[in-house]
């Protein structure tokens, strides 16, 4: 009579993951990003590499990205008998800049003013508010002509918007 006793052990693989977020929901530089582990089980340690020269060892880390770019973030979760790594990519977009100039800031009578808004090359649209109660104008051009029909002091404003919905705003006074 033969008796076989079989036993087997189940090795449980752990899942390693992490989430990241910002306080304002935007990812443009400079930006502080909160990284939080989302690992199964109870890791005994963490090793973070944030792709920008910074590293960390806490379960949650707050990291500031000063420059725009694409960064590879790695989290290694350490368990008593093994370690597992998760890798994700985070994109930090450049913050737009914009300025506003008018071909004239003072008019002796109602008339036209040509506005130019030089700014970052990656601005895709411009929202113009001429401060005189006229409707907001959205264009793809960094230059626009507006007719002021009444005497008064106005504050014209332009908002440059990128394809990722980041904005830069500036204004200029106009007196008619």
């Amino acid at each position: 009579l033969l008796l076989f006793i079989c036993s087997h052990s189940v090795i449980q693989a752990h899942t390693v993951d992490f989430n990241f977020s910002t306080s304002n929901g935007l990812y443009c530089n400079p930006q502080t990003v909160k990284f939080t582990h989302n690992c199964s089980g109870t890791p005994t340690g963490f090793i973070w590499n944030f792709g920008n020269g910074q590293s960390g060892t806490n379960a949650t880390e707050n990291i500031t990205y000063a420059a725009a770019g694409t960064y590879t973030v790695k989290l290694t979760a350490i368990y008593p008998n093994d370690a597992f790594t998760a890798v994700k990519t985070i994109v930090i977009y450049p913050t737009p800049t914009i300025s506003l100039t008018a071909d004239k800031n003072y008019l002796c009578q109602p008339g036209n003013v040509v506005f130019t808004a030089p700014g970052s090359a990656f601005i895709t649209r411009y929202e113009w508010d001429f401060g005189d109660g006229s409707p907001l104008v959205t264009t793809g051009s960094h230059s626009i002509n507006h007719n002021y029909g009444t005497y008064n002091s106005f504050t014209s404003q332009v908002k440059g918007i990128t394809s990722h919905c980041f904005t830069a705003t500036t204004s200029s006074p106009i007196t008619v």
Side-chain angles (χ1 to χ4, degrees), residues 7-171:
S7 73
H8 67 283
S9 61
V10 176
I11 299 175
Q12 184 178 14
H14 293 284
T15 58
V16 175
D17 194 13
F18 61 91
N19 300 320
F20 55 89
S21 62
T22 64
S23 62
N24 60 8
L26 301 177
Y27 291 88
C28 56
N29 71 308
Q31 186 62 263
T32 298
V33 180
K34 180 179 182 178
F35 293 90
T36 305
H37 91 89
N38 187 17
C39 303
S40 66
T42 307
T44 58
F46 301 95
I47 301 172
W48 293 91
N49 179 326
F50 297 102
N52 64 349
Q54 296 182 64
S55 59
T57 58
N58 296 312
T60 300
E61 295 278 353
N62 291 303
I63 301 300
T64 299
Y65 288 88
T70 301
Y71 300 92
T72 301
V73 179
K74 296 178 186 177
L75 168 62
T76 300
I78 302 166
Y79 293 90
N81 297 317
D82 215 341
F84 300 94
T85 300
V87 178
K88 291 186 180 181
T89 300
I90 184 171
V91 178
I92 303 296
Y93 297 97
T95 299
T97 59
I98 196 167
S99 61
L100 180 61
T101 58
D103 68 340
K104 50 191 157 256
N105 292 91
Y106 298 98
L107 299 159
C108 294
Q109 61 185 4
N112 289 320
V113 176
V114 177
F115 293 97
T116 305
S120 303
F122 49 89
I123 292 175
T124 57
R125 72 180 195 269
Y126 300 81
E127 289 182 356
W128 303 90
D129 180 349
F130 302 105
D132 62 355
S134 62
L136 186 71
V137 177
T138 301
T139 68
S141 174
H142 71 281
S143 183
I144 194 168
N145 183 20
H146 181 72
N147 184 290
Y148 285 93
T150 60
Y151 295 97
N152 208 337
S153 292
F154 307 99
T155 300
S156 59
Q157 182 174 316
V158 64
K159 180 189 295 185
I161 305 167
T162 71
S163 60
H164 300 286
C165 295
F166 302 126
T167 64
T169 304
T170 190
S171 61

